[in-house]
Amino acid sequence: MIEAGADIRTEEFLLNMGPQHPATHGVLRLVVRTDGELVLDCECHIGYLHRCFEKCAEGNPYTSVIPYTDRMDYLAAMCNNQSFSLAVEKLAKIEVTDRARWMRMATVELQRIASHLMAVGTYGLDVGAITAFLHCFRERERILDLFEEMSGQRLNYSYIVPGGVLYDWPDDMPKKIENFCDQMEVRIREYNDLLSGNGIFIKRTADIGVLPADVAIAWGCTGPVLRGSGIKRDLRKDRPYEFYDQVEFDVPVGRGLHGTLGDCWDRYWVRVQEMSESIKIIRQSISKYSTSTGKYLTTPANKQLRPPKGEAVYHTTENPRGELGYYVVSDGEPIPYRVKARAPSFCNVAVLPEISRGTMVADLVAILGSLDIVLGEIDR
Amino acid sequence: MGLTASEIVERVRAALPDDIIVATEDDVAEADETKKKAPETIDPFVLAKPESLRKVCEWLCYEPDLRFDLLHCISNIDYPDRNVIQVIYHLDSIRHKHTFTVKVDLDRADPKVESMVPLWPAADWHERESFDLMGVIHTGHPNLKRILCADDWVGHPLRKDYEFPEEYHGIPCGPYVTEYANIPPEHEVWLKEFEAEDAAKRGGPSS
């Protein structure tokens, strides 16, 4: 970090980054107060994608809210479906079979890999490494192919619904997923050669945008952003949902390998390691899936759900971007009385002004990329 | 794992008996009714008095064995029939791995409550959203302005009696009600046949 020297103070300049700027990952507008190349302060303006998901949810039956959740975090739609379905299942007391749970876990972890591939690839792009982006997208494409075979969709799946999943897997799906896992392990080593150990990449990201652990907690950061600061917190371990208590995996945290703990490189590295952990979970889920029995869906997907009156459920799950929470309130009608979504990116991006003061304008792009935000979820 | 929510409720009751409303009549009826049905699904909570919310939160934040250091979310619900806007604070402790919920009932005509930004900076954006969409005034907030809607937007959309504007700067808007919602009858027949066929093939549930 460079200190603003009192003797070289030049005229302040207000710089508008966005809303149409490739490095803001969507329609985020940053108003940056600069002194030469230094960022003195920055302010985030959000809301360009606002469509009030929460108001829409109040006018739709429970199952019809699922497609809206897809469009929140559109890079991890499966995880959003799962989170909302778990909240509704808890509210309406719907049982899910073991087999459906293992299917869900495998798809959600595949989605986590796809989402992290996007994060890692575009992060390389942000700091000037184009090759890694193409490699990441090749593997992401293969995951989307698998999802297309499962659900018929490539981006907004609406696949995980209250009661299970919408369609059964084709017979050869476990084999295909295992093949993918085999290849993915090789590919992760490839990304490390291309990006993680790349000297230029390390110079652009190490010691940049240092987020101390106490600041991260105070601002409500979760997910890889919090773990990058060295805090070992993962809801899959701490408050297990589905069958995460029956699988073995590690929670990678930042260690400050190339600079200070909690810098951009640490957040990036947590995501790369999480991909390997997800592969472990997928392998275990697939083997458990093969031996488990039961229907893939316990209630028809178009059945009208009427949860009992007055129950409020706040259900949180670990999404690729952090902790997604759904607060669902029922008044006994077939449509929810109130749905509130706690979007992880919404809280993560709020910390940006805090960690970007005193950095260079070019580093601001690196910091924003390392937070890995999705504007569809911030604006809801 | 840390304490359960019921244990925390007992702790708060013992430490701050004057600052919480044990429960209003509605809540007693509501909680009892739901507790009989399913004690595990409704999370125990504390309903704080609006004027002492800060005190309750401060105690929860700094008490060594509770230590709620992460403000997870601020939700709000509009109850026009009770003339209440309820603000709900979802708290989380990274150190002790437990969660808790604090609620506060505000007068619907003048919903004012103290800002939690000095305790948790994370409250900044959540409170701006709460002001924007529900119209709750968080007094003492450093920068209480709209966050998601445009600065010159009128009204607070999440209120139950909110009326959609006809247009915004010449752009037509309002509730999206069109003839697209009506599925043609022949399509419905086709859909049912397809679903029955699909279910028979897969051995899943028939609808």
Side-chain angles (χ1 to χ4, degrees):
Chain A
M1 201 180 289
I2 297 161
E3 294 294 326
D7 49 335
I8 53 156
R9 196 162 200 87
T10 50
E11 203 178 326
E12 281 183 6
F13 182 71
L14 269 188
L15 180 71
N16 246 308
M17 265 178 77
Q20 308 297 337
H21 189 287
T24 56
H25 291 261
V27 278
L28 171 69
R29 176 169 159 236
L30 297 174
V31 178
V32 190
R33 202 154 61 79
T34 60
D35 176 13
E37 273 289 300
L38 289 176
V39 176
L40 296 180
D41 201 358
C42 98
E43 197 186 345
C44 309
H45 289 255
I46 62 170
Y48 291 91
L49 280 180
H50 181 56
R51 63 268 184 199
C52 213
F53 154 76
E54 291 161 15
K55 190 78 180 175
C56 296
E58 284 173 18
N60 278 294
Y62 285 90
T63 43
S64 305
V65 179
I66 301 268
Y68 284 103
T69 64
D70 280 331
R71 284 142 182 90
M72 276 180 43
D73 184 351
Y74 43 80
L75 295 177
M78 288 283 188
C79 305
N80 286 265
N81 294 164
Q82 184 206 27
S83 194
F84 186 75
S85 300
L86 283 171
V88 174
E89 277 158 16
K90 204 168 150 191
L91 192 66
K93 296 178 205 65
I94 300 170
E95 296 288 320
V96 180
T97 61
D98 289 5
R99 182 156 160 268
R101 286 211 190 273
W102 290 119
M103 286 163 85
R104 280 181 179 190
M105 273 178 64
T107 39
V108 164
E109 292 305 320
L110 276 173
Q111 178 76 84
R112 194 182 308 273
I113 295 178
S115 169
H116 282 343
L117 279 173
M118 183 83 175
V120 167
T122 52
Y123 191 39
L125 208 58
D126 280 347
V127 295
I130 295 173
T131 323
F133 171 73
L134 300 171
H135 284 246
C136 289
F137 255 58
R138 183 185 53 198
E139 267 66 63
R140 182 169 174 269
E141 219 29 54
R142 295 204 51 202
I143 298 179
L144 295 195
D145 287 345
L146 290 173
F147 284 165
E148 192 179 7
E149 218 167 305
M150 286 178 201
S151 65
Q153 303 283 334
R154 288 177 66 81
L155 200 63
N156 296 316
Y157 316 101
S158 304
Y159 180 60
I160 298 176
V161 293
V165 294
L166 202 53
Y167 306 111
D168 204 357
W169 280 358
D171 293 338
D172 58 345
M173 185 53 81
K175 188 80 208 146
K176 280 186 179 168
I177 293 177
E178 266 174 21
N179 282 346
F180 170 78
C181 289
D182 293 343
Q183 279 207 356
M184 191 64 204
E185 274 166 356
V186 182
R187 299 299 186 204
I188 290 176
R189 285 200 288 278
E190 211 175 280
Y191 305 145
N192 288 343
D193 292 344
L194 266 172
L195 208 55
S196 313
N198 184 322
I200 304 169
F201 180 73
I202 292 172
K203 281 220 161 121
R204 283 293 317 265
T205 54
D207 282 331
I208 303 292
V210 177
L211 175 64
D214 54 334
V215 177
I217 295 172
W219 282 86
C221 296
T222 46
V225 178
L226 181 63
R227 288 194 284 275
S229 301
I231 304 271
K232 199 165 188 158
R233 176 184 162 96
D234 191 322
L235 286 184
R236 292 175 291 171
K237 276 262 192 251
D238 295 348
R239 278 200 287 284
Y241 49 95
E242 305 275 32
F243 285 148
Y244 279 108
D245 47 348
Q246 297 181 28
V247 290
E248 279 178 20
F249 64 101
D250 293 330
V251 180
V253 292
R255 307 207 180 280
L257 279 182
H258 287 286
T260 324
L261 176 69
D263 58 9
C264 290
W265 195 86
D266 272 349
R267 289 193 280 278
Y268 158 84
W269 185 233
V270 165
R271 292 195 183 97
V272 175
Q273 286 175 299
E274 270 184 21
M275 286 199 263
S276 312
E277 299 304 323
S278 290
I279 292 174
K280 280 189 207 167
I281 301 175
I282 293 171
R283 284 189 191 283
Q284 294 171 51
S285 310
I286 292 292
S287 72
K288 292 272 178 54
Y289 160 80
S290 316
T291 55
S292 59
T293 52
K295 284 179 181 172
Y296 62 93
L297 186 61
T298 49
T299 59
N302 53 0
K303 188 188 164 190
Q304 203 178 53
L305 299 173
R306 263 182 196 270
K309 181 181 182 295
E311 287 196 20
V313 164
Y314 186 63
H315 198 277
T316 47
T317 55
E318 186 75 32
N319 259 32
R321 274 165 197 79
E323 292 167 14
L324 175 70
Y326 276 108
Y327 186 63
V328 187
V329 180
S330 158
D331 63 344
E333 295 294 315
I335 56 172
Y337 187 73
R338 175 86 166 89
V339 174
K340 161 87 193 175
R342 187 258 189 212
S345 297
F346 182 81
C347 303
N348 288 351
V349 76
V351 82
L352 180 69
E354 204 66 17
I355 57 174
S356 60
R357 284 185 198 119
T359 57
M360 311 288 274
V361 175
D363 291 342
L364 188 62
V365 175
I367 297 170
L368 187 63
S370 76
L371 294 177
D372 182 26
I373 52 168
V374 164
L375 267 295
E377 167 174 88
I378 293 174
D379 298 342
R380 297 193 295 287
Chain B
M1 284 295 278
L3 303 167
T4 64
S6 331
E7 283 167 353
I8 298 167
V9 170
E10 290 310 313
R11 289 285 313 272
V12 180
R13 266 194 192 148
L16 307 164
D18 302 331
D19 297 305
I20 56 166
I21 307 162
V22 174
T24 62
E25 279 174 29
D26 277 351
D27 279 327
V28 169
E30 211 173 86
D32 276 356
E33 193 189 327
T34 43
K35 261 183 185 161
K36 267 178 216 154
K37 278 180 198 159
E40 77 279 3
T41 47
I42 187 155
D43 303 324
F45 61 89
V46 155
L47 189 69
K49 286 182 185 162
E51 64 275 13
S52 48
L53 175 73
R54 173 71 187 269
K55 197 177 160 193
V56 173
C57 286
E58 214 160 77
W59 186 79
L60 286 167
C61 183
Y62 293 122
E63 186 72 7
D65 60 335
L66 298 176
R67 200 66 185 91
F68 285 100
D69 41 14
L70 184 84
L71 177 72
H72 217 265
C73 188
I74 297 178
S75 315
N76 35 40
I77 312 176
D78 185 12
Y79 291 112
D81 46 343
R82 274 165 59 199
N83 199 25
V84 153
I85 284 181
Q86 196 170 57
V87 184
I88 301 142
Y89 297 79
H90 301 283
L91 311 178
D92 206 308
S93 170
I94 291 199
R95 190 172 302 171
H96 301 299
K97 298 182 180 172
H98 49 223
T99 61
F100 195 55
T101 310
V102 178
K103 298 185 182 182
V104 60
D105 277 351
L106 306 176
D107 180 16
R108 203 162 171 277
D110 182 28
K112 267 196 187 133
V113 70
E114 209 177 331
S115 166
M116 291 297 129
V117 175
L119 280 180
W120 299 286
D124 187 341
W125 280 30
H126 286 300
E127 285 178 356
R128 278 176 67 188
E129 190 193 331
S130 159
F131 162 71
D132 186 359
L133 301 181
M134 195 56 101
V136 179
I137 312 284
H138 295 272
T139 50
H141 189 286
N143 185 24
L144 196 66
K145 57 179 188 187
R146 285 185 186 271
I147 186 166
L148 291 170
C149 295
D151 285 345
D152 56 350
W153 194 263
V154 181
H156 304 288
L158 281 180
R159 296 256 181 133
K160 289 286 176 188
D161 54 0
Y162 175 73
E163 279 179 19
F164 282 91
E166 292 287 313
E167 57 156 34
Y168 174 71
H169 291 292
I171 308 161
C173 53
Y176 184 71
V177 184
T178 64
E179 67 274 20
Y180 299 120
N182 301 325
I183 303 169
E186 68 272 14
H187 181 77
E188 221 164 41
V189 171
W190 175 81
L191 202 68
K192 270 192 182 139
E193 277 172 10
F194 176 78
E195 274 176 359
E197 198 181 300
D198 195 48
K201 209 161 41 184
R202 293 168 184 278
S206 59
S207 50

